[in-house]
Amino acid sequence: MLCAISGETPQVPVASRKSGTIFEKRLIDAYIAENGRDPVTGEELSSDDLVELKTSRIVRPRPPTLTSIPSLLSVFQNEWDALALESYALRQQLTQTRQELSTALYQNDAAVRVIARLSRERDETREALAELSVRGGSVTNGDAMQVDSLGLSNQLIAKIEATQERYESYVRIYVNIQVADRTRLSKTRRKRPIPAEWVNADALNSFAPIEKSKTPYIDARSLAVNAACDAALLGGSDGKLGVYSISDKTIIEELDAGPGRVTDTLWAERRAIAATSTGSVKIFEGGQEVATFSRHSGEVTALAVHPSGDLLASVGVDKSYIFYDLTSNAVAAQILTDAALTTAEFHPDGHLFAAGSVDGQIKVYDVKTGANAANFDSTGPIASISFSENGTWLASAAKGSTVVSIWDLRKAAVIHTIDVASIISAVQWEFTGQFLAIAGPSGLVVRQYSKSSKEWSEPLKNAVPSVAVGWGLEANSIYCLDAQGFISVLKAQ
């Protein structure tokens, strides 16, 4: 008969009514005084629940003093009893902790398995939805479910087909030529003459900053000049959109794009459009907000408008690009890709859409079907892209790179590189496709391609710092936005 706590033969044995276990009376009394429970079953236990067992025992002598060996033995016995109680409590806690840890590990393993299964099912569902043709509805409050699908309306497809005719009218107005066959604009574009009033290399040689905005638009990183070249859009980090008067050299109107910073801006005829870091795209007309879209699940990184003027595109970090019908202010389609997107541009003919990505690829898609037409591999995340008006060239620059790559869409290869020996922020072709503006924090460079000699030259290099760049009417001016938010206008002196 041994004590369940000390493991020794008890001198005053007692039994618990709750568990029926034998204990040394002094040990169980001490345990009850501290915990109030049976040490074996954990049930509530009091001294009244203990039954003393009658056994023959030796009468213990009177308590000795600590100066004798018996007294020391008594002290050692007390210490041993305390140690036995503590050791028993520790063993109980260890057993309980092991059980809790085992349960937690099992639950964690189960949760990981469930997450992996759900992630796999999500990816499979997205791939399946990407192959469907489902119409996207109008979104004004961001509450609609996001569907990765493509379903351009017949009206939009007709506008895309008619874009060549629209471009021919534009060419007749500004270039004063007649094209016999309107359905072959892409072929005639490369052969059209350069208008006499257009800027030439000699004039570009004399370009210098002759105007500068009176006050900076703090933290502006995007610049969009309208078709009349009398106003520019600037986006700030506070969610404000500034309308800058080029003639007055000051902000004449400020629009509220909502929370988050403005990541990109552009004009669609008279409508001002802004993208934000919170995933929204907002359209303003006449100083009033006329539409809001919140289909992106993350930051909207870039905007592009179709040559027809009726189709808007946005790209974002959620690996998707979205088309919007500007005639009805509705979402036309949302297409999922395989990487976060950083830049966007429509081909001049309107049949292709290009998007730069963080994986270093320029992804080219068919606008009508959403099919991936081509992928061009660059050296890093894409910072800027621009289609040439000749319809066959595409300029691109990677983030942090000093080199511009000129791609030939027909060969799907780089046919020329331009090293400006400084970081590049933006690239932009002008309308005739002979001059390419390259902007960066260290200055502005303009490169010219001569069709006759098939050679490149550098008619302009200026130290004006630029994070964004835009061409003026007939390329007789260049607008640059610097990191401090000032707009500089370069013209011939």
Side-chain angles (χ1 to χ4, degrees):
M1 188 170 58
L2 301 176
C3 175
I5 295 178
S6 66
E8 296 181 346
T9 301
Q11 294 183 1
V12 183
V14 293
S16 170
R17 296 180 186 273
K18 300 295 179 70
S19 63
T21 309
I22 304 298
F23 299 101
E24 175 66 59
K25 189 175 187 308
R26 69 176 186 280
L27 295 181
I28 192 62
D29 285 340
Y31 189 89
I32 292 174
E34 183 177 352
N35 300 285
R37 295 180 179 276
D38 190 301
V40 176
T41 63
E43 299 179 69
E44 291 187 1
L45 186 68
S46 66
S47 298
D48 296 335
D49 295 322
L50 299 177
V51 178
E52 185 174 352
L53 302 179
K54 303 297 183 179
T55 61
S56 60
R57 63 175 182 264
I58 300 174
V59 178
R60 300 183 65 180
R62 289 175 297 176
T65 63
L66 294 178
T67 58
S68 64
I69 291 177
S71 67
L72 292 176
L73 292 176
S74 176
V75 171
F76 292 156
Q77 180 67 53
N78 293 335
E79 292 294 333
W80 168 255
D81 293 344
L83 182 61
L85 286 170
E86 182 180 2
S87 176
Y88 182 80
L90 289 175
R91 287 199 302 270
Q92 278 193 321
Q93 292 177 3
L94 177 60
T95 302
Q96 183 179 359
T97 303
R98 283 178 174 174
Q99 292 176 346
E100 293 176 353
L101 178 60
S102 177
T103 303
L105 290 175
Y106 175 78
Q107 292 175 344
N108 179 75
D109 183 66
V112 170
R113 292 176 182 273
V114 170
I115 292 173
R117 177 176 59 80
L118 293 177
S119 298
R120 184 176 65 255
E121 293 177 354
R122 179 203 62 190
D123 294 339
E124 292 174 354
T125 303
R126 283 183 171 178
E127 291 177 1
L129 288 174
E131 298 175 359
L132 298 178
S133 295
V134 182
R135 282 297 307 278
S138 176
V139 177
T140 57
N141 56 10
D143 293 332
M145 181 181 70
Q146 178 171 324
V147 178
D148 302 325
S149 61
L150 178 64
L152 295 181
S153 65
N154 293 331
Q155 292 83 355
L156 278 178
I157 293 177
K159 290 173 183 177
I160 294 171
E161 296 288 354
T163 299
Q164 291 179 326
E165 294 187 11
R166 290 176 179 267
Y167 249 73
E168 180 193 352
S169 301
Y170 184 84
V171 170
R172 289 204 312 271
I173 294 173
Y174 288 96
V175 186
N176 194 24
I177 62 172
Q178 294 292 335
V179 180
D181 187 355
R182 294 187 176 186
T183 64
R184 298 180 180 177
L185 180 63
S186 60
K187 296 180 180 179
T188 59
R189 181 185 290 113
R190 295 192 296 272
K191 300 179 181 179
R192 67 191 179 204
I194 298 174
E197 64 274 14
W198 212 262
V199 73
N200 54 41
D202 293 334
L204 274 173
N205 276 322
S206 63
F207 267 38
I210 62 172
E211 298 177 4
K212 191 172 184 178
S213 55
K214 298 177 181 178
T215 57
Y217 202 74
I218 305 300
D219 292 332
R221 289 295 181 271
S222 61
L223 171 69
V225 182
N226 64 358
C229 294
D230 58 4
L233 280 180
L234 302 172
S237 60
D238 58 353
K240 301 297 182 182
L241 187 65
V243 180
Y244 176 81
S245 172
I246 294 177
S247 59
D248 296 336
K249 306 184 188 66
T250 188
I251 299 293
I252 58 175
E253 187 177 13
E254 196 167 57
L255 307 171
D256 187 4
R261 70 182 187 281
V262 176
T263 56
D264 199 12
T265 57
L266 58 74
W267 292 94
E269 297 179 349
R270 296 182 179 180
R271 287 167 290 191
I273 305 176
T276 70
S277 60
T278 58
S280 64
V281 175
K282 296 199 173 186
I283 303 176
F284 301 87
E285 186 171 6
Q288 300 296 321
E289 181 181 317
V290 295
T292 300
F293 305 97
S294 300
R295 289 291 291 268
H296 284 286
S297 59
E299 177 179 328
V300 182
T301 53
L303 299 170
V305 65
H306 191 267
S308 66
D310 295 329
L311 187 66
L312 172 70
S314 66
V315 300
V317 297
D318 61 352
K319 302 182 181 181
S320 74
Y321 66 89
I322 304 177
F323 289 153
Y324 310 89
D325 186 349
L326 294 181
T327 60
S328 60
N329 289 333
V331 173
Q334 182 168 5
I335 299 89
L336 185 69
T337 69
D338 58 356
L341 304 177
T342 57
T343 59
E345 185 88 357
F346 279 103
H347 187 274
D349 284 341
H351 288 78
L352 297 176
F353 173 73
S357 63
V358 296
D359 62 1
Q361 278 193 338
I362 303 171
K363 306 175 188 296
V364 182
Y365 298 92
D366 185 288
V367 174
K368 292 184 292 183
T369 65
N372 187 200
N375 290 324
F376 304 143
D377 293 321
S378 185
T379 58
I382 307 301
S384 180
I385 59 175
S386 178
F387 278 110
S388 170
E389 277 291 322
N390 63 18
T392 59
W393 286 1
L394 171 68
S396 71
K399 184 177 181 180
S401 174
T402 64
V403 177
V404 176
S405 300
I406 308 297
W407 300 82
D408 191 318
L409 301 182
R410 300 164 298 183
K411 301 177 181 178
V414 175
I415 59 172
H416 185 69
T417 58
I418 303 171
D419 192 345
V420 297
S422 60
I423 301 299
I424 299 169
S425 300
V427 294
Q428 185 67 53
W429 290 98
E430 46 76 52
F431 178 71
T432 63
Q434 59 176 332
F435 297 112
L436 175 64
I438 306 171
S442 299
L444 174 71
V445 174
V446 175
R447 288 294 181 97
Q448 178 187 16
Y449 177 75
S450 173
K451 296 179 182 178
S452 57
S453 65
K454 300 187 182 301
E455 293 182 351
W456 289 84
S457 60
E458 188 178 280
L460 175 63
K461 186 172 185 179
N462 196 282
V464 57
S466 308
V467 296
V469 64
W471 289 92
L473 283 175
E474 299 168 349
N476 282 302
S477 59
I478 302 176
Y479 304 96
C480 298
L481 173 68
D482 64 23
Q484 285 70 43
F486 286 99
I487 295 180
S488 298
V489 182
L490 282 73
K491 291 183 178 180
Q493 291 181 325

